[in-house]
Amino acid sequence: MKKEDLKIVFFGTPEFAVTSLARLVDEGYNISAVVTMPDKEAGRGRKLMQSDVKKYAVEKGLRVLQPEKLKAPEFVDALKEINADLFIVIAFRMLPEVVWTMPRLGTFNLHGSLLPKYRGAAPINRAIMNGEKETGVTTFFLKHEIDTGDIIGSRSIPIGENDNVGVIYDRLMNIGADMVIETVENILTDTLTVQPQPEGEFTPAPKIFKEDCKINWNCKAKDIHNLIRGLSPYPAAFTVLEDNNGKKMDIKIFESLVTSDYRFNESIAPGSIEIKGKRLFVATTEGTLEVLSLQPSGKKRMDTSAFLLGYHPSKFISE
């Protein structure tokens, strides 16, 4: 079978999925339809916002399906009518069995981790938050339990000690597109090999909630640093700052460093702040953290040097 004869339905929503979809289109594959989330209201004007995948699909003139419910008879019937050979899923909702079992060549997913590690909704965030030195992408065939199907292939990349989610996301997005093309080519040429995931060996990567983003200064500097970069630039780690007048405000922190440039007295309470010139150092239970960029509530993100021109911080609070 030629690539242009292989009928593919692509499922995805965010920018992470667009790169792979674009590569498939550029390589000449037949994208029979694109499935993405319904448009949703956003912003003060409550305007309908399209997903990144839909924007790309519309630009390229691809057929777009936006089901509210994935088991809805009209959606299932539309997929049956397309009669695709292969489904590809990237950063989308969990598909019901009636959908993922439909194509004759199966349904595969691109996941942002080295499975079986970090199964779940936030694999990139969780890997960095946990201080991992390596991550990657995996393609695997879907089965009933989420992120548990047979592995088709994977590629790994190192995580630098100061890399954040934004940096790793971009790297994985690009090597993920390579993996998708490689996987489809192997399916097309019937040269695919798969490997079952080990039973009982996995690390969870649950969705990020607001409480996951709050900084506890009664932790080690390296752990707080991992939390900050594991949530930067979005949704961002946050804390409560108290200034010299006792006023409190929420602060998001985007960049930090574990540093030896300043050492606090061991009796100093975690969260205590020391200003040295244009630099801001924070005490932790073990080690010193330097804050490099942050965002006061209601303001724009700024470098610490700019922040210190208008604010006089006293300490961060773990409330």
Side-chain angles (χ1 to χ4, degrees):
M1 179 183 289
K2 297 179 181 179
K3 63 172 65 175
E4 57 267 26
D5 296 326
L6 181 71
K7 297 173 71 176
I8 297 171
V9 174
F10 185 94
F11 297 73
T13 296
E15 179 190 18
F16 191 85
V18 174
T19 303
S20 292
L21 176 58
R23 282 287 303 278
L24 288 164
V25 170
D26 292 344
E27 293 280 342
Y29 282 98
N30 178 7
I31 306 299
S32 299
V34 171
V35 183
T36 191
M37 67 181 289
D39 298 348
K40 62 179 181 179
E41 293 182 346
R44 292 182 179 179
R46 308 308 295 168
K47 293 182 180 180
L48 284 178
M49 301 295 291
Q50 300 178 348
S51 73
D52 291 329
V53 163
K54 180 180 179 180
K55 291 175 184 175
Y56 174 84
V58 169
E59 178 187 322
K60 294 298 180 179
L62 302 174
R63 180 182 178 185
V64 177
L65 302 175
Q66 294 179 275
E68 290 282 353
K69 297 181 179 180
L70 298 177
K71 291 183 180 180
E74 58 270 24
F75 173 61
V76 174
D77 289 345
L79 289 178
K80 288 179 179 178
E81 184 180 339
I82 293 169
N83 192 29
D85 302 296
L86 178 69
F87 288 173
I88 300 174
V89 184
I90 304 176
F92 194 68
R93 291 178 283 171
M94 184 176 179
L95 297 184
E97 189 169 351
V98 67
V99 172
W100 61 260
T101 56
M102 199 178 293
R104 66 179 184 86
L105 295 176
T107 299
F108 80 82
N109 178 269
L110 174 73
H111 187 69
S113 80
L114 298 173
L115 290 174
K117 298 188 78 171
Y118 297 103
R119 291 176 181 164
I124 305 175
N125 300 87
R126 296 291 181 180
I128 298 174
M129 289 164 71
N130 288 345
E132 297 284 358
K133 304 298 184 185
E134 179 186 57
T135 189
V137 289
T138 304
T139 53
F140 67 97
F141 281 114
L142 261 61
K143 60 185 293 188
H144 185 68
E145 297 82 7
I146 189 168
D147 298 339
T148 61
D150 291 348
I151 291 174
I152 301 167
S154 62
R155 290 189 185 178
S156 63
I157 62 168
I159 301 176
E161 62 181 17
N162 295 314
D163 286 339
N164 65 18
V165 165
V167 170
I168 299 302
Y169 181 97
D170 288 346
R171 291 179 190 164
L172 292 184
M173 184 168 61
N174 288 301
I175 69 166
D178 294 339
M179 279 293 304
V180 167
I181 296 299
E182 180 181 304
T183 298
V184 176
E185 288 176 348
N186 289 338
I187 290 173
L188 190 63
T189 57
D190 197 26
T191 55
L192 203 65
T193 58
V194 298
Q195 180 179 351
Q197 294 190 42
E199 289 290 334
E201 296 182 19
F202 75 96
T203 308
K207 184 179 178 179
I208 302 292
F209 292 97
K210 185 175 181 179
E211 56 265 30
D212 298 313
C213 303
K214 191 164 189 177
I215 298 171
N216 179 4
W217 297 101
N218 294 298
C219 292
K220 297 177 181 179
K222 67 175 183 178
D223 294 331
I224 298 171
H225 176 61
N226 290 341
L227 177 74
I228 290 168
R229 64 196 185 96
L231 297 168
S232 179
Y234 182 83
F238 74 95
T239 185
V240 177
L241 179 142
E242 182 176 307
D243 67 15
N244 290 339
N245 296 318
K247 182 181 177 181
K248 297 179 182 179
M249 70 181 77
D250 287 343
I251 295 279
K252 290 182 179 180
I253 298 180
F254 296 95
E255 291 180 278
S256 60
L257 282 178
V258 178
T259 182
S260 58
D261 288 355
Y262 183 83
R263 295 182 183 276
F264 284 88
N265 187 300
E266 291 183 3
S267 62
I268 294 294
S272 298
I273 291 172
E274 187 68 35
I275 308 298
K276 294 293 181 182
K278 298 180 180 180
R279 302 173 71 182
L280 189 159
F281 300 97
V282 192
T284 72
T285 56
E286 183 180 308
T288 299
L289 199 74
E290 181 177 3
V291 175
L292 302 180
S293 68
L294 65 172
Q295 182 179 4
S297 181
K299 303 293 183 179
K300 293 182 178 180
R301 176 176 171 174
M302 61 188 78
D303 292 338
T304 296
S305 57
F307 171 78
L308 292 175
L309 292 175
Y311 295 88
H312 304 283
S314 171
K315 60 183 177 182
F316 290 122
I317 304 170
S318 299
E319 291 187 333

